[in-house]
Amino acid sequence: MSLNEELVAPAAEAFANPYLEGPYAPTQQEVTVTDLPVLHGEIPADLDGVYVRNGPNPQFAPQGRYHWFDGDGMLHAVHFENGRADYRNRFVRTAEFEAERAAGTALWRGVIEPWDDNPPGDRRERNSANTDVVFHHGNLLATWYRAGKPYALDPITLETRGGDTFHGTLTCEMSAHAKVDERTEELVFFDYGIHTPYLRYGVADPGGTVTHFTGIDLPGPRLPHDMAITENYSILMDLPLYNDPRAAAAGRFKLFFDRELPSRFAILPRYGDATEVRWFEAAPGYIYHSVNAWEEGEEIVLVACRVSKPSPVTDRTNPLAQLLAYLRPEATLHRYRFNLRTGATTEEPMDEVNTEFPAIDQGRTGHPNRWSYQMRLSVDHTMLFDAVVKYDVRTGAKQTQEFGPGIAGSEVTVVPRPGGRGEDDAWLTMFATDIRTGASEVWIYDAADLAAGPSCRLGLPVRVPLGFHATWVSGDRMRAAAAPSESAS
């Protein structure tokens, strides 16, 4: 995902914003529904845990031009236990959400509007906590792509516990895609901004205390969206897509893709500092989401969804044209190899199909894996997921399962079967929405047999707006987690 370029065009009010309509339209109702009806198949008896997805859901009519990334965060969760499934959705009650609720109207303008009229603050941007969600130290953590305070929520009730300070040890903000190493239960994160050091990196222990933190200088402000980890290293990114400095000084965004600059990857030990960073260069491009990374002998392998043309050319007579174009990225599976002995980088495309929002067995994050389940992006007017693609990340071989006419999917999660005999001996969970009727369902696939279609479909009495990223929290991890964090305040 990215910010869209500053627009100089006719008033946006004359143009309908599709990200406020149809399958994207917000819902104001927070509900709890027990015993979801089974429409097809049966709920696997061994499903034990929570599937949670984050996404934007404005509580009030937006001021000015609305970007899909502006909406208030809302979590949608399905709790599986003992052959039953319950659904909840709740707003993430950020400080900005509460301020606007008290005022009864939107107070902040979005990321493509000038900040001049926003309430005063350190950044004057609105942290919507609407992008990703991970589980750590007993909390769901809702995060924001522009970097902000992570918000802690109860993994079952979805009650907002507050902005998480990590027991007072989090001295920076946190970008959306922090990584949890489920083998060590450490959380590895980064922060970026417009002040030096432009990139900040840290590690939190299983109890939610930041035990390592360092700053890393870049040539200037950048807009990294994701990172990756291996068993012993972390990979941070300096990519040649950034905000025009003059626009930034004026409190606006105007993205610039510098094709003369390489993509750079910083590799450092998990507990390393800036003096231990090794930089590797590759062809210019942009990466919204990494699939996974791992160590192979002297090399580090990174598999990611790479965008070769992150700055689209569009019809500037429509003030929403650039916004719509940036929300239809053309990303393809790509593999990098960084040789720690020679300092050389090799890279290769692995496919030509436009896929994004990768999901793997989260327990293999930072370790060798074989399968990635990615959303195929349709070529519609907006960003829609019309199929799930199962990739063999070792060979690039793929299997595609389309959702069917009028059905839009959601980022899946991979749920390993207890005692499973292989990496794809697992379930996939997903929200599915019929964009023709607005009806939403929960679909469950056998990860080893996508061609069979969903083995179970659960009905939902409410519509789930299309959104962003998801996570799976197993019952075992929830039960083994420490008591609810006291760092939320």
Side-chain angles (χ1 to χ4, degrees):
M1 291 182 284
S2 74
L3 301 170
N4 79 290
E5 187 175 356
E6 180 187 29
L7 305 174
V8 181
E13 289 76 7
F15 298 84
N17 189 322
Y19 286 98
L20 289 170
E21 301 177 340
Y24 308 93
T27 178
Q28 301 305 315
Q29 189 177 18
E30 295 180 307
V31 301
T32 299
V33 183
T34 58
D35 284 327
L36 295 180
V38 178
L39 306 179
H40 167 75
E42 61 182 13
I43 299 174
D46 54 9
L47 267 183
D48 175 25
V50 181
Y51 165 52
V52 190
R53 201 217 67 200
N54 203 348
N57 195 86
Q59 65 170 326
F60 296 112
Q63 293 193 36
R65 295 167 295 179
Y66 174 75
H67 192 292
W68 194 25
F69 304 160
D70 292 340
D72 297 284
M74 176 178 274
L75 297 187
H76 301 263
V78 182
H79 179 205
F80 296 94
E81 189 174 12
N82 298 324
R84 295 176 41 184
D86 302 334
Y87 167 82
R88 288 178 177 82
N89 68 316
R90 298 290 187 274
F91 281 106
V92 183
R93 283 165 162 74
T94 64
E96 292 87 344
F97 174 92
E98 296 290 13
E100 291 187 335
R101 172 150 291 195
T105 187
L107 300 175
W108 277 265
R109 292 177 176 268
V111 296
I112 60 175
E113 288 287 337
W115 302 341
D116 297 347
D117 296 329
N118 284 351
D122 292 340
R123 293 178 59 175
R124 303 195 75 174
E125 291 181 274
R126 188 183 195 284
N127 174 7
S128 300
N130 66 13
T131 310
D132 203 358
V133 57
V134 298
F135 179 74
H136 193 253
H137 62 280
N139 295 315
L140 290 173
L141 298 177
T143 54
W144 187 46
Y145 78 108
R146 281 282 294 158
K149 179 187 297 182
Y151 276 81
L153 298 95
D154 184 283
I156 298 298
T157 68
L158 303 187
E159 175 189 359
T160 300
R161 291 171 170 165
D164 201 331
T165 68
F166 285 64
H167 307 293
T169 63
L170 184 63
T171 58
C172 66
E173 296 178 322
M174 185 180 294
S175 191
H177 296 303
K179 304 298 179 184
V180 176
D181 183 339
E182 292 189 7
R183 303 191 186 191
T184 66
E185 287 295 347
E186 292 175 305
L187 181 138
V188 186
F189 64 92
F190 72 96
D191 173 32
Y192 67 95
I194 61 174
H195 302 293
T196 58
Y198 297 115
L199 186 62
R200 293 163 286 279
Y201 162 81
V203 183
D205 68 16
T209 296
V210 176
T211 56
H212 178 69
F213 183 75
T214 190
I216 299 172
D217 283 321
L218 300 177
R222 295 293 188 262
L223 297 170
H225 190 73
D226 203 355
M227 64 175 297
I229 62 172
T230 71
E231 182 177 4
N232 297 294
Y233 296 91
S234 293
I235 305 169
L236 305 171
M237 304 181 195
D238 172 16
L239 305 173
L241 181 73
Y242 51 87
N243 189 18
D244 182 284
R246 290 172 296 180
R252 295 180 175 86
F253 285 111
K254 183 180 180 181
L255 286 187
F256 175 65
F257 178 52
D258 192 339
R259 299 180 185 276
E260 302 302 315
L261 293 179
S263 295
R264 299 202 308 155
F265 299 86
I267 297 180
L268 72 163
R270 181 170 296 187
Y271 285 91
D273 60 27
T275 65
E276 299 176 83
V277 169
R278 295 188 61 184
W279 288 101
F280 292 79
E281 294 188 353
Y286 195 75
I287 294 172
Y288 294 122
H289 302 113
S290 60
V291 175
N292 197 21
W294 60 86
E295 299 163 27
E296 281 187 8
E298 297 176 329
E299 291 186 324
I300 288 180
V301 180
L302 170 66
V303 180
C305 301
R306 178 179 179 269
V307 180
S308 60
K309 299 177 181 179
S311 183
V313 176
T314 59
D315 175 13
R316 295 183 65 83
T317 63
N318 181 344
L320 300 178
Q322 286 280 46
L323 179 153
L324 298 175
Y326 272 100
L327 288 171
R328 294 193 301 270
E330 296 181 7
T332 56
L333 195 67
H334 203 78
R335 179 165 54 210
Y336 300 88
R337 290 182 177 272
F338 308 111
N339 191 299
L340 297 177
R341 180 179 59 84
T342 66
T345 301
T346 58
E347 58 179 310
E348 59 179 332
M350 300 181 69
D351 194 27
E352 296 180 351
V353 175
N354 188 6
T355 61
E356 250 290 355
F357 286 66
I360 66 169
D361 173 354
Q362 295 171 177
R364 297 175 185 266
T365 300
H367 302 270
N369 74 295
R370 183 175 180 183
W371 304 112
S372 176
Y373 303 86
Q374 301 180 198
M375 296 291 100
R376 189 178 73 182
L377 276 63
S378 76
V379 292
D380 210 323
H381 186 51
T382 57
M383 186 167 70
L384 293 170
F385 303 153
D386 65 5
V388 58
V389 180
K390 178 182 180 180
Y391 280 108
D392 184 333
V393 298
R394 300 175 187 174
T395 67
K398 66 178 183 289
Q399 175 188 353
T400 302
Q401 179 61 28
E402 296 182 347
F403 301 139
I407 303 298
S410 187
E411 182 178 270
V412 303
T413 61
V414 182
V415 186
R417 285 192 181 100
R421 293 176 293 178
E423 185 180 333
D424 63 350
D425 192 0
W427 303 106
L428 304 182
T429 58
M430 182 188 80
F431 289 113
T433 296
D434 189 325
I435 61 177
R436 299 161 299 186
T437 66
S440 296
E441 299 178 0
V442 181
W443 286 10
I444 303 171
Y445 286 91
D446 182 338
D449 189 12
L450 293 184
S455 59
C456 179
R457 291 171 40 225
L458 303 176
L460 288 171
V462 295
R463 180 178 57 85
V464 177
L466 301 184
F468 301 144
H469 297 284
T471 195
W472 170 260
V473 188
S474 71
D476 287 343
R477 287 187 71 219
M478 282 191 288
R479 289 185 285 268
S485 172
E486 297 179 356
S487 61
S489 58

